[in-house]
Amino acid sequence: MAYLLYYLILLPLSYLPWSVLYGIGSALAALNWRWVGYRKEVVLDNLRRSLPDRSEAEILALGKAYYIYFFETIAESIKLFSLDEAAAVRRCRILNPEAVDHLRAQGRSFIAYGGHYSNWEMAGISFPSQLRGFTLMAIYAPLKDRVMDRLVTANRQRAGVLMVPRKGVEDFYEHPPVSPTVDFFVADQAPSNARWEKLHWTTFLGRTTGFMAGPERYAVRYDRPVYYMTLRREGRGQYVAELLPVTDTPRQEAPGFITEAFARQLEREIQRDPVPWLWSHRRWKREVPPEVVRELEHRPFVPPVYDRSLRVGDSDRPA
């Protein structure tokens, strides 16, 4: 069944013109908004709680815009099954790949943090050729259907991405490739299975939120510099990425600094343009332990100073 779905539906669809795929995406968005309502209440509740300064009319407009973007992103992801690498690079470029030239010269690997913001699938196809001298490593959760998992993984790997399943991360770090790697973490998932003591708890979009601290632990344990990878939407199917330095010396930073830096920058991106974040994800489904509430009440909040090269000014008004 998976082969039929891929070769008879997904792959043929990927050869359709962009305009047709976007038209299908927009139609599905309208159908969902008016009648189907896939996770509509989740989206609107997340928007209301995260952006309390917005009026109800603004919230509804953002919700509608989110679903248009969500389904158009699915259309873009289908297009990636046949899109060549050069075309992907034209649609998703890194502004400053030279920011890590010194690490390439030293043969050092580094960690790139990102969130479920904009089209990270497009980034996976376009980034490898723009970060020459590095092997891009991405962690993924294998699909339940093994055949579809192989097909999707093969498509992601065709540009040279090294796909590492979640259970294989420790082995990857213990036996890394010869060439330096870019370890890309999409790190804003809801940590439903981890013990609360192992999470980094902070205030994110006005709500108490636990973040997985794994990327920070790997950075410190293996002395890997950390960058935040912005991925901003400039137009339909057009994205621009930028590498923002967090630290080149992770072992010298205070515990929690790296994860807090990630949370603050992701929050800033969302406030600037809320639409491209994954609002249909149940990010806050986990109950906050009372121990965390008490700790945050007595913890002084000091925003980390890490974005010295950030191009977006403090006066930027959220979209």
Side-chain angles (χ1 to χ4, degrees):
M1 180 60 73
Y3 280 117
L4 293 177
L5 173 64
Y6 179 78
Y7 286 107
L8 295 183
I9 299 178
L10 294 179
L11 191 58
L13 280 175
S14 73
Y15 287 100
L16 291 175
W18 285 99
S19 58
V20 175
L21 287 171
Y22 281 133
I24 294 172
S26 297
L28 290 174
L31 178 66
N32 181 78
W33 182 256
R34 294 177 183 176
W35 292 291
V36 179
Y38 167 72
R39 291 196 175 182
K40 186 175 179 179
E41 289 307 314
V42 174
V43 170
L44 294 178
D45 181 65
N46 281 339
L47 285 168
R48 290 184 185 110
R49 289 170 176 253
S50 301
L51 304 171
D53 59 323
R54 305 298 179 99
S55 68
E56 183 62 17
E58 289 176 308
I59 293 297
L60 292 174
L62 284 173
K64 186 175 181 180
Y66 166 73
Y67 275 111
I68 293 173
Y69 178 75
F70 176 78
F71 282 100
E72 288 187 349
T73 301
I74 292 175
E76 291 173 3
S77 298
I78 291 174
K79 187 70 175 177
L80 292 179
F81 285 114
S82 62
L83 190 69
D84 64 77
E85 187 177 354
V89 170
R90 289 194 295 270
R91 288 180 168 272
C92 186
R93 57 193 175 88
I94 302 176
L95 285 178
N96 61 337
E98 71 282 355
V100 291
D101 280 351
H102 65 293
L103 300 178
R104 182 188 297 107
Q106 298 167 15
R108 292 187 71 188
S109 299
F110 69 96
I111 287 175
Y113 255 132
H116 283 94
Y117 189 88
S118 294
N119 193 336
W120 55 91
E121 293 287 349
M122 182 85 74
I125 300 293
S126 67
F127 283 1
S129 64
Q130 299 181 71
L131 293 169
R132 296 190 182 278
F134 294 96
T135 297
L136 180 62
M137 183 276 280
I139 300 169
Y140 76 105
L143 301 175
K144 293 181 179 180
D145 187 296
R146 294 183 180 181
V147 174
M148 185 57 71
D149 181 66
R150 287 199 298 270
L151 292 169
V152 172
T153 301
N155 185 64
R156 289 170 169 171
Q157 290 178 325
R158 64 187 171 90
V161 178
L162 176 62
M163 301 298 297
V164 177
R166 287 178 179 174
K167 293 183 179 180
V169 177
E170 291 288 345
D171 186 64
F172 166 82
Y173 277 103
E174 289 299 323
H175 308 283
V178 175
S179 62
T181 60
V182 183
D183 309 340
F184 192 74
F185 286 86
V186 178
D188 58 340
Q189 300 95 329
S192 56
N193 297 323
R195 295 180 59 182
W196 69 267
E197 301 97 325
K198 293 186 177 182
L199 302 178
H200 175 83
W201 291 91
T202 187
T203 301
F204 176 71
L205 294 175
R207 302 168 72 176
T208 302
T209 308
F211 282 87
M212 297 295 293
E216 177 170 339
R217 286 195 293 270
Y218 291 126
V220 173
R221 185 185 305 170
Y222 298 97
D223 195 25
R224 300 202 171 189
V226 180
Y227 285 74
Y228 184 96
M229 177 69 83
T230 69
L231 185 60
R232 294 182 180 174
R233 179 185 55 161
E234 286 201 324
R236 182 184 256 182
Q238 298 291 335
Y239 302 93
V240 171
E242 185 174 7
L243 287 159
L244 303 181
V246 176
T247 179
D248 271 6
T249 55
R251 292 177 176 174
Q252 296 179 25
E253 306 296 350
F257 172 88
I258 293 172
T259 310
E260 186 70 25
F262 166 71
R264 298 281 68 79
Q265 181 58 33
L266 177 60
E267 182 179 62
R268 187 173 185 167
E269 293 292 299
I270 294 168
Q271 291 171 339
R272 184 189 66 85
D273 182 6
V275 173
W277 197 48
L278 193 61
W279 293 103
S280 51
H281 180 53
R282 291 188 174 94
R283 181 65 181 82
W284 291 280
K285 62 184 178 181
R286 181 171 182 167
E287 184 178 352
V288 180
E291 296 89 345
V292 171
V293 176
R294 289 195 295 269
E295 178 191 347
L296 291 179
E297 286 176 348
H298 296 91
R299 182 200 299 174
F301 175 71
V302 181
V305 179
Y306 69 95
D307 55 351
R308 292 175 289 276
S309 70
L310 194 61
R311 299 188 178 193
V312 180
D314 290 334
S315 61
D316 281 1
R317 177 178 173 80

